[in-house]
Amino acid sequence: MTAARREARIVDTFATLADTLVDSYDVVELLQTLVETCADVLDVDAAGIMLANAWGELEVIASTSETSRLIEVLQLDAEAGPCMTTFTTGQPVACPDIADAPAEWAAFSAGALALGVRSAHAVPLRLRATVIGTLNLFGTAPGALAAPDLRIARALADVATIGILHERTLREHEVVHAQLQRAIGSREVIEQAKGVVSHVKGVSIEDAFGVIRAHAAATGDRLSDVAQAIVDRTLRL
C-alpha cells in the first residue's frame, strides 16, 4: 500500500468512526471495520478486538482471520497474555517476540507460535479509567510496532471506544453493559451464520463471512440482522 493510499484509508476510517457519534450504527460492523483497517495500514498481519461482557469477562467480538480469533481465545483459556494484561492494567502491552514472552504466558505463547504468530501488541479500549476491551495486533515475524503505527492504533481504539459508549456516562453502567452485551450477542449469531453459510456453500469460514457481509452491504441491512435471518433459515445465500 502506497503512503497516499494508506493515509486516505486512515482518514476514511476516522470519518466512519466519527459518524457513529451522530448516527445509528452496527457495533459489530464498526469494530470489524476497525480491525480490518489496522491490518491494512499498520505493520501487522492480523488484528482482533475483545470486549468485556456484563460480568467483566472478555469475549472475542471482531477479528480479521480465524488465526487472530484463535489467538485471542488462547489467551482467554490461559487467562494470560498481552491482551489480558492490557485489560487488567489499562496500559498498552508489547510482545515483540512471543518466543521471549514471560513464563506466565507459556500456554498462550506455545499456542501462538504453533499458529505461526511471532509478535503481539495490545491496546486498551478505554474511556478515562474504564477499560471496556482491547485492540489486539499480531505479526507473523518478530518486531515491535513503530511509534507512528502505535499512535494510530491508540487513536483508532480511542475513537472506537467513544463510538461504543456513545452518549453514555460512566454512571450509566447498566446501559453500557447492555450495549456491550448486545454486541457480544450479535457476534455469537454471526458465528452461527458463518457456520451455516460455510456448510451450505462448501466454503471456508472466512469466505462465508465475506458472503454475509457482501449481502448486508448490497441490501443495506444490518450485519447482525442478516446473520439472524440466516440462522433462522429465513434467508439463504
Side-chain angles (χ1 to χ4, degrees), residues 21 47-48 55 98 108 122 135 157 164 177 220 232 234:
L21 302 179
W55 300 274
I98 291 176
F108 154 72
L135 167 63
I164 294 169
H177 286 155
D232 293 342
T234 59

Side-chain angles (χ1 to χ4, degrees), residues 21-104:
L21 302 179
V22 295
D23 200 1
S24 61
Y25 64 100
D26 185 325
V27 173
V28 175
E29 182 65 32
L30 168 73
L31 298 182
Q32 190 65 36
T33 297
L34 173 64
V35 296
E36 290 178 354
T37 298
C38 287
D40 283 347
V41 305
L42 305 179
D43 188 21
V44 298
D45 297 294
I49 281 179
M50 295 194 290
L51 287 183
N53 60 25
W55 300 274
E57 300 165 340
L58 287 175
E59 295 192 29
V60 179
I61 196 73
S63 59
T64 57
S65 67
E66 285 303 298
T67 296
S68 60
R69 187 183 71 82
L70 288 173
I71 297 168
E72 290 171 318
V73 170
L74 276 173
Q75 295 184 73
L76 295 177
D77 289 344
E79 298 184 348
C83 310
M84 302 298 290
T85 301
T86 285
F87 181 65
T88 301
T89 65
Q91 298 299 317
V93 173
C95 185
D97 191 342
I98 291 176
D100 296 329
E104 59 267 26

Side-chain angles (χ1 to χ4, degrees), residues 188-190 192-194 196-197 212 224-237:
E188 291 173 351
V189 173
I190 289 170
Q192 294 176 41
K194 285 162 60 177
V196 172
V197 174
I212 297 170
S224 52
D225 291 341
V226 172
Q228 187 65 63
I230 293 171
V231 171
D232 293 342
R233 301 298 196 270
T234 59
L235 173 64
R236 289 180 63 88
L237 300 183

Side-chain angles (χ1 to χ4, degrees), residues 114-131:
L115 290 169
V117 176
R118 290 296 308 274
S119 61
H121 295 74
V123 178
L125 296 182
R126 183 182 63 195
L127 181 64
R128 300 185 182 93
T130 300
V131 180

Side-chain angles (χ1 to χ4, degrees), residues 198-216:
S198 174
H199 175 73
V200 171
K201 287 188 168 292
V203 299
S204 69
I205 291 293
E206 292 177 17
D207 288 343
F209 188 38
V211 171
I212 297 170
R213 288 190 75 201
H215 180 84

